[in-house]
Amino acid sequence: MTANADIIEALRGAGLAGEGDVVLEPLTGGVSCDVWKVATPRGPIVVKRPLPQLRVAADWRAPVERGTSEIRWLKRARGVDPRLAPEVLAELPGHAFAMRFLPGCPVWKDELMAGRVDAGFAARVGQGIAAVHAATAHDDGDRAAFANDAMFRALRVDPFILYVAQHDAALAPALTALAGDLAGRKIALVHGDVSPKNILVSADGPVFLDAECAVYGDPAFDLAFCVTHLLLKAVWSGDARLNAAAGALIAAYQAGIDWEDREGLLLRAGKLTAALLLARVEGKSPAPYLTDPEHKRIVRDQARASILAPQSIDALAANWKRTCP
Ligand SMILES: Nc1ncnc2c1ncn2[C@@H]1O[C@H](COP(=O)(O)OP(=O)(O)OP(=O)(O)O)[C@@H](O)[C@H]1O
Ligand SMILES: [Mg+2]
């Protein structure tokens, strides 16, 4: 029996593979899952299986049930708008699943890193995230289906916010309060990993992947998480168009907020963005491309100042500097 015979067997059981050889071709990038592309008689598919131990330097374990959270998020997002997520074709043993492969769709991160920065696309990302939040806000069914609080705490609150709090006494009170607020707020369905590396650029707009951290929680988190990546890349590249993309994303998201007071949400998102920015230079999961000490300092100084004197996310993005003052 080959290492992945169980997956191949399950694909056959689901009618997704013929009797001939089935080749699992690894897709690059995955740190938390095995992700394969598989040619099938019905066209190419992607098979994703969560790993119990993440492939990062620090010892970081996560329950494989997050595979099922991801399946649920993909289905729910498609219920809001089928263009927002790939179609799930089968659920497989071990919280694995098969989805449709989207051909010819680059990963947004690769586009940004190559200098192809499109504020219009960033706005569609903001619109898409807000659409899922608006459709799921204050919904008891979604709240019950995504009660993944322990998972979100282990994968997001602890490593990104509390880890930094434990290593920085001056910031600890603000960050500890922020972590408590984030963990306690139950407003809408949060994707939990809205990073450019988890967004495909399709002709129909953004397609969101990788929803393993999905939780019913604070929608401000998704906005903050994605904007953090754009601001980090602005420092890395020095490209003002990334600031503009962050602004466009925030403006489009803001226009979609119909479930709560906008000001309150934007302030929470500003606090979370500041914390996440710092986490990406000092935390457990540093941004891999931000290696230049000068870049790190630019991010660290602005993030720390913004944690100590919170500002709303639109102000934070508008004031964000790419170089040393
Ligand atoms: N349905 C799909 N169509 C096309 N490409 C896909 C699809 N699903 C995943 N991919 C590709 O595989 C990569 C990894 O997928 P995904 O982000 O879901 O896995 P992961 O293991 O959770 O990744 P990571 O931990 O690095 O974020 C994506 O960045 C994308 O390039
Ligand atoms: Mg991913």
Side-chain angles (χ1 to χ4, degrees), residues 29-33 35 48 99-100 102 107 197-198 210 212:
V31 295
S32 70
C33 293
V35 188
K48 186 168 175 183
M99 62 183 140
R100 201 174 292 286
L102 296 164
V107 173
K197 82 177 162 106
N198 292 327
D210 210 357
E212 291 164 57

Side-chain angles (χ1 to χ4, degrees), residues 263-312:
E263 297 307 314
L265 187 150
L266 296 178
L267 180 58
R268 297 201 307 277
K271 292 180 183 178
L272 288 166
T273 304
L276 292 170
L277 284 163
L278 191 59
R280 290 298 186 177
V281 286
E282 294 198 337
K284 240 180 150 180
S285 176
Y289 50 86
L290 220 61
T291 49
D292 183 333
E294 188 62 12
H295 289 161
K296 288 188 185 184
R297 191 167 77 79
I298 295 164
V299 172
R300 186 185 302 118
D301 288 355
Q302 294 184 86
R304 286 183 61 95
S306 201
I307 290 167
L308 293 168
Q311 47 186 336
S312 72

Side-chain angles (χ1 to χ4, degrees), residues 191-283:
H191 174 286
D193 203 358
V194 185
S195 153
K197 82 177 162 106
N198 292 327
I199 297 173
L200 297 179
V201 180
S202 89
D204 283 337
V207 180
F208 296 89
L209 306 171
D210 210 357
E212 291 164 57
C213 295
V215 69
Y216 205 80
D218 187 351
F221 185 83
D222 281 342
L223 176 62
F225 203 82
C226 196
V227 167
T228 295
H229 283 279
L230 297 179
L231 298 182
L232 291 173
K233 287 175 180 60
V235 172
W236 172 78
S237 68
D239 186 342
R241 292 175 305 159
L242 282 154
N243 292 64
L249 192 157
I250 295 164
Y253 181 89
Q254 198 173 339
I257 303 172
D258 65 359
W259 60 88
E260 66 171 296
D261 169 55
R262 286 181 188 172
E263 297 307 314
L265 187 150
L266 296 178
L267 180 58
R268 297 201 307 277
K271 292 180 183 178
L272 288 166
T273 304
L276 292 170
L277 284 163
L278 191 59
R280 290 298 186 177
V281 286
E282 294 198 337

Side-chain angles (χ1 to χ4, degrees), residues 38-234:
V38 184
T40 79
R42 289 169 53 187
I45 64 169
V46 173
V47 176
K48 186 168 175 183
R49 179 173 64 185
L51 294 164
Q53 163 81 56
L54 273 56
R55 295 186 189 107
V56 290
D59 182 27
W60 192 337
R61 288 165 197 281
V64 287
E65 285 74 17
R66 66 192 194 279
T68 295
S69 310
E70 172 161 6
I71 296 167
R72 286 197 183 148
W73 188 93
L74 295 173
K75 289 184 171 176
R76 186 67 184 94
R78 281 180 64 83
V80 176
D81 180 340
R83 296 171 299 182
L84 291 177
E87 183 188 355
V88 175
L89 299 170
E91 298 191 29
L92 306 170
H95 303 276
F97 66 100
M99 62 183 140
R100 201 174 292 286
F101 177 83
L102 296 164
C105 297
V107 173
W108 192 29
K109 176 180 178 178
D110 297 340
E111 293 294 286
L112 296 173
M113 298 305 248
R116 290 185 288 274
V117 182
D118 176 356
F121 184 80
R124 292 190 73 174
V125 170
Q127 234 170 33
I129 308 169
V132 176
H133 293 165
T136 57
H138 308 303
D139 185 291
D140 289 340
D142 290 318
R143 183 178 289 119
F146 294 93
N148 304 327
D149 297 49
M151 190 117 62
F152 189 74
R153 202 177 270 276
L155 290 173
R156 289 292 174 259
V157 183
D158 289 354
F160 285 92
I161 301 178
L162 288 176
Y163 181 87
V164 181
Q166 282 151 13
H167 292 82
D168 194 322
L171 301 180
L175 290 177
T176 308
L178 184 65
D181 186 81
L182 174 60
R185 231 173 254 276
K186 304 283 158 223
I187 299 175
L189 174 56
V190 171
H191 174 286
D193 203 358
V194 185
S195 153
K197 82 177 162 106
N198 292 327
I199 297 173
L200 297 179
V201 180
S202 89
D204 283 337
V207 180
F208 296 89
L209 306 171
D210 210 357
E212 291 164 57
C213 295
V215 69
Y216 205 80
D218 187 351
F221 185 83
D222 281 342
L223 176 62
F225 203 82
C226 196
V227 167
T228 295
H229 283 279
L230 297 179
L231 298 182
L232 291 173
K233 287 175 180 60

